[in-house]
Amino acid sequence: PSSVVAQGISKPATQNGRRYVWGNNPSDFSPEGGLYNLCWCASMQGLLCGSLQENFILSAGQLEVTGPLANHQFDCVRGQDCSHLTAFQGHLLSLQNQVAVRNACGGPEPLSVALANPNGTGSLSTSGGKFSLSFGEVLLDADESYSICWCSQSCNTASDFTVLAGHLQVLGPYANQRADCFLGQKCRLEQIRGVGLMTD
């Protein structure tokens, strides 16, 4: 998958062919949750293993990856409660997993959703076997593409949320806009901008 470094090809095996590693950083291995086929290349007697088109012809089993799908798209309204976003999907998800809103996954700084949620974290819940996601009141500036980032465990810092699980669109007017009116004249505002604004 494209979310795994080097076209999904591991580094050369170590420990007599028993240990395989993808990349150097956690972000080098971030596929969607699911089952993946493991294909093996011998890298001996002249066989090349530099690309997926070269000699990855033997099945070595399956790799089960715990994690969310990456294509979630949720909308919330600025200044309103943002809860029960369904369905949050993935493979072997758990209520112990954590989710947060970020400008970009893996960044060093948290993104404050509201005064009551300065770290931008969401809570997962289940109903009828389906997971839903809640952030509470959202006071973020309007934006079309905040990242929803996932962490499986030991989520102590903002940079632990490395896995992209989708995007959150915050609807409403942009913050800190300015308009001028004059005493004794009609005050007509025509430059209010935002995301998803409607005429009604």
Side-chain angles (χ1 to χ4, degrees):
S2 60
S3 52
V4 180
V5 71
Q7 298 181 295
I9 300 173
S10 72
K11 293 181 177 182
T14 58
Q15 296 181 2
N16 295 321
R18 296 191 303 272
R19 185 171 188 265
Y20 296 83
V21 176
W22 284 266
N24 300 310
N25 305 300
S27 59
D28 290 338
F29 185 86
S30 57
E32 292 186 330
L35 290 172
Y36 294 86
N37 292 320
L38 291 173
C39 303
W40 186 74
C41 177
S43 189
M44 61 178 64
Q45 296 182 354
L47 293 176
L48 300 175
C49 302
S51 73
L52 294 178
Q53 287 71 41
E54 295 174 329
N55 301 308
F56 284 91
I57 56 176
L58 295 177
S59 173
Q62 287 189 315
L63 177 66
E64 189 167 37
V65 177
T66 298
L69 301 183
N71 61 352
H72 296 98
Q73 180 67 54
F74 298 122
D75 293 342
C76 290
V77 178
R78 186 175 168 220
Q80 301 294 317
D81 185 61
C82 182
S83 298
H84 307 298
L85 305 174
T86 55
F88 189 80
Q89 298 175 302
H91 187 68
L92 299 179
L93 297 180
S94 158
L95 293 178
Q96 281 66 53
N97 302 151
Q98 294 187 37
V99 180
V101 177
R102 297 286 183 262
N103 285 316
C105 296
E109 298 296 332
L111 185 62
S112 176
V113 167
L115 291 176
N117 188 357
N119 295 318
T121 54
S123 60
L124 291 172
S125 59
T126 58
S127 178
K130 294 183 178 180
F131 281 83
S132 65
L133 174 62
S134 298
F135 290 103
E137 184 184 28
V138 170
L139 297 179
L140 286 167
D141 199 0
D143 195 291
E144 296 179 351
S145 58
Y146 288 110
S147 295
I148 298 174
C149 306
W150 181 84
C151 176
S152 62
Q153 56 189 353
S154 302
C155 312
N156 300 315
T157 66
S159 58
D160 292 328
F161 292 85
T162 58
V163 178
L164 179 67
H167 292 92
L168 176 70
Q169 179 174 248
V170 177
L171 307 174
Y174 295 133
N176 301 318
Q177 299 184 68
R178 174 176 172 171
D180 296 320
C181 288
F182 297 92
L183 288 173
Q185 303 291 325
K186 288 183 177 180
C187 186
R188 186 173 181 177
L189 305 181
E190 298 179 343
Q191 300 293 326
I192 301 298
R193 298 175 297 115
V195 177
L197 299 182
M198 302 176 67
T199 56
D200 296 337

